[in-house]
Amino acid sequence: MPLMNIHSLLRDYAVEWSDAPDFVSRLEASPHRLVVVDENVWKCHAEGCLAGMDRNFVEVFAVSEERKNLAGVEALYDLLIGRSAKRNLALVSIGGGILQDLTGFVASTLYRGIPWVFVPTTLLAQADSCIGSKTSLNYKGFKNLLGTFYPPKAVYLYPAFVLTQKETDYASGLGEVIKLHMMGGPEKTRELARLLPLLKARDLPALGTAIRNSLEIKYAYFAADEFDTGRRNLLNFGHCFGHALEATSAFRIPHGQAVVLGMLLANEVACRRGLLSAAVKERLSRELLRPSLCVRPRHEEWDSQALVEALGKDKKRTGSGLALVMMKDDFDLIKVDDLTPDEVRSALRSLEGDLVERP
Ligand SMILES: NC(=O)c1ccc[n+]([C@@H]2O[C@H](COP(=O)([O-])OP(=O)(O)OC[C@H]3O[C@@H](n4cnc5c(N)ncnc54)[C@H](O)[C@@H]3O)[C@@H](O)[C@H]2O)c1
Ligand SMILES: [Zn+2]
């Protein structure tokens, strides 16, 4: 069932929704396919929803952030070329954001582009990254420094995959779901606060609602700005401090959890600048942000000097100051380029007592 049709300047595509694993028979219909499956997904689902896949067309691939680089891409080129890949070869990938980034990059560059279908298996990939056309690779310690814009031909979304995710990986996806609902305005935020206990218990109907809302909200932000020049930048809410915390924790804090911490910090700064009232800030913290945290930052990861340094390396930064996306009382977002180290220190201090693990 088509859930959404996404318009892209490169190619329009549909997100197809399945409550049963009927996407498998559709994938099997393609005669020139190579299906690359995340190793952990294969372990959990080879005898379950993926049992109908012809093993002759399946390659199981182990992913990690360390492998989301040019070496990982080469390994995939070799797999494809080993199967005498031709331009009509269709690449299918079944996995989370890492496999999406790797295979999307491969599909966009091999023979200057081969058809690609993506089946997202994590909450983050289903609710967020599967639309938007971005592929990213890490390069020499810099996260997501290389990349292309390349939409898949289709996305098949089967929410039940997330039932086998590890708790911290699932919580990471939940962080992005919360961010998108906050960006969707007060009503969507209230709806999500009501759903939160069900989402934490991975209730499938609640997940269905949250995923659909998230994709609609994200689409509204990039529809008119596919190539990331203006409004799409606001999707970086929570990510300025979030990326910095990923760096200071050497990726111990998973991406979406770092984004939740990043939103808490951005709200502190917004409150001090008079953009966000203390009442709204407290309500967002109490009802959504704190209850979704399952990782506590350590003392050394909360260090202001290290964080200011990491904020300075933000690749979205254009001015000479530090960049930050903040939320205002009416839930509108604003991007500034003049965040000061003093503001960073004050925001860190005000949350430290409650959030940070004692040394
Ligand atoms: N391209 C984009 O637009 C975009 C957007 C956001 C994030 N990302 C990238 O996505 C990555 C994070 O992706 P993610 O959170 O989806 O997770 P992931 O791909 O990092 O997977 C996390 C772990 O879960 C395992 N896994 C995946 N699906 C599973 C399942 N259904 N059951 C059991 N285990 C499963 C994986 O093997 C891995 O060990 C980051 O590298 C980030 O930079 C890309
Ligand atoms: Zn993110």
Side-chain angles (χ1 to χ4, degrees):
M1 179 177 62
L3 171 72
M4 295 172 86
N5 290 307
I6 308 285
H7 172 65
S8 156
L9 294 172
L10 301 162
R11 171 192 316 116
D12 294 353
Y13 59 102
V15 178
E16 304 271 350
W17 186 276
S18 310
D19 287 320
D22 43 16
F23 63 91
V24 169
S25 55
R26 299 181 68 176
L27 296 178
E28 293 292 290
S30 162
H32 306 286
R33 68 186 178 282
L34 176 67
V35 185
V36 180
V37 188
D38 175 311
E39 188 178 40
N40 291 321
V41 174
W42 190 247
K43 279 185 196 147
C44 295
H45 299 279
E47 306 306 325
C49 65
L50 300 179
M53 309 220 60
D54 184 338
R55 276 32 182 184
N56 293 316
F57 297 93
V58 170
E59 286 284 351
V60 177
F61 196 82
V63 302
S64 65
E65 262 322 309
E66 289 72 41
R67 214 183 177 190
K68 201 181 92 168
N69 55 21
L70 289 168
V73 166
E74 270 187 43
L76 284 165
Y77 286 150
D78 289 343
L79 276 181
L80 284 154
I81 294 164
R83 290 195 175 234
S84 64
K86 298 278 175 343
R87 271 162 190 276
N88 65 355
L89 180 119
L91 177 60
V92 177
S93 46
I94 307 182
I98 294 188
L99 194 70
Q100 174 189 350
D101 274 342
L102 273 168
T103 50
F105 188 92
V106 164
S108 71
T109 47
L110 188 65
Y111 307 129
R112 295 194 193 82
I114 57 170
W116 170 48
V117 171
F118 180 48
V119 182
T121 62
T122 62
L123 180 55
L124 182 140
Q126 292 185 350
D128 180 357
S129 66
C130 72
I131 61 169
S133 312
K134 283 190 183 177
T135 82
S136 306
L137 300 177
N138 303 330
Y139 185 70
K140 296 198 173 160
F142 289 99
K143 175 131 167 117
N144 295 345
L145 198 76
L146 309 181
T148 58
F149 283 101
Y150 195 70
K153 252 179 53 184
V155 174
Y156 293 124
L157 207 155
Y158 175 56
F161 271 121
V162 309
L163 298 178
T164 55
Q165 273 194 277
K166 280 195 196 142
E167 197 54 40
T168 43
D169 291 330
Y170 178 80
S172 177
L174 202 50
E176 297 282 18
V177 166
I178 290 171
K179 180 207 80 171
L180 286 167
H181 279 72
M182 283 170 63
M183 295 182 71
E187 208 167 295
K188 288 281 182 252
T189 304
R190 272 194 295 275
E191 186 182 359
L192 194 74
R194 278 196 303 275
L195 287 178
L196 196 59
L198 289 170
L199 290 174
K200 287 169 88 173
R202 305 193 200 190
D203 172 80
L204 281 176
L207 267 166
T209 306
I211 292 168
R212 277 192 287 265
N213 282 344
S214 298
L215 292 176
E216 273 165 24
I217 295 164
K218 179 170 179 181
Y219 187 36
Y221 272 88
F222 76 77
D225 180 25
E226 189 175 10
F227 300 130
D228 218 357
T229 52
R231 187 168 156 79
R232 185 171 183 162
N233 271 313
L234 299 176
L235 287 165
N236 229 28
F237 180 44
H239 284 62
C240 311
F241 280 117
H243 284 147
L245 283 164
E246 282 184 276
T248 59
S249 72
F251 299 106
R252 186 189 71 84
I253 305 179
H255 177 74
Q257 289 279 295
V259 169
V260 174
L261 292 162
M263 289 188 282
L264 283 162
L265 286 164
N267 288 353
E268 286 299 326
V269 179
C271 191
R272 275 160 213 267
R273 286 197 180 199
L275 298 167
L276 186 69
S277 66
V280 176
K281 182 193 77 170
E282 284 308 319
R283 191 165 52 75
L284 290 170
S285 299
R286 193 179 59 246
E287 292 180 359
L288 269 181
L289 298 171
R290 283 170 194 252
S292 66
L293 274 178
C294 75
V295 179
R296 277 161 79 87
R298 293 179 185 151
H299 204 257
E300 64 277 14
E301 295 162 352
W302 204 249
D303 177 66
S304 60
Q305 206 176 329
L307 277 163
V308 166
E309 215 168 282
L311 282 164
K313 290 188 181 147
D314 186 343
K315 69 174 185 291
K316 297 258 166 71
R317 206 160 68 100
T318 47
S320 55
L322 302 172
L324 184 67
V325 178
M326 283 177 286
M327 176 160 276
K328 300 192 283 187
D329 259 347
D330 57 7
F331 284 58
D332 258 5
L333 293 152
I334 173 174
K335 184 177 179 212
V336 300
D337 276 314
D338 59 356
L339 175 71
T340 66
D342 268 348
E343 286 180 302
V344 175
R345 275 189 282 277
S346 312
L348 288 169
R349 252 199 315 272
S350 52
L351 293 173
E352 185 171 313
D354 285 347
L355 285 182
V356 178
E357 249 179 41
R358 307 257 174 261

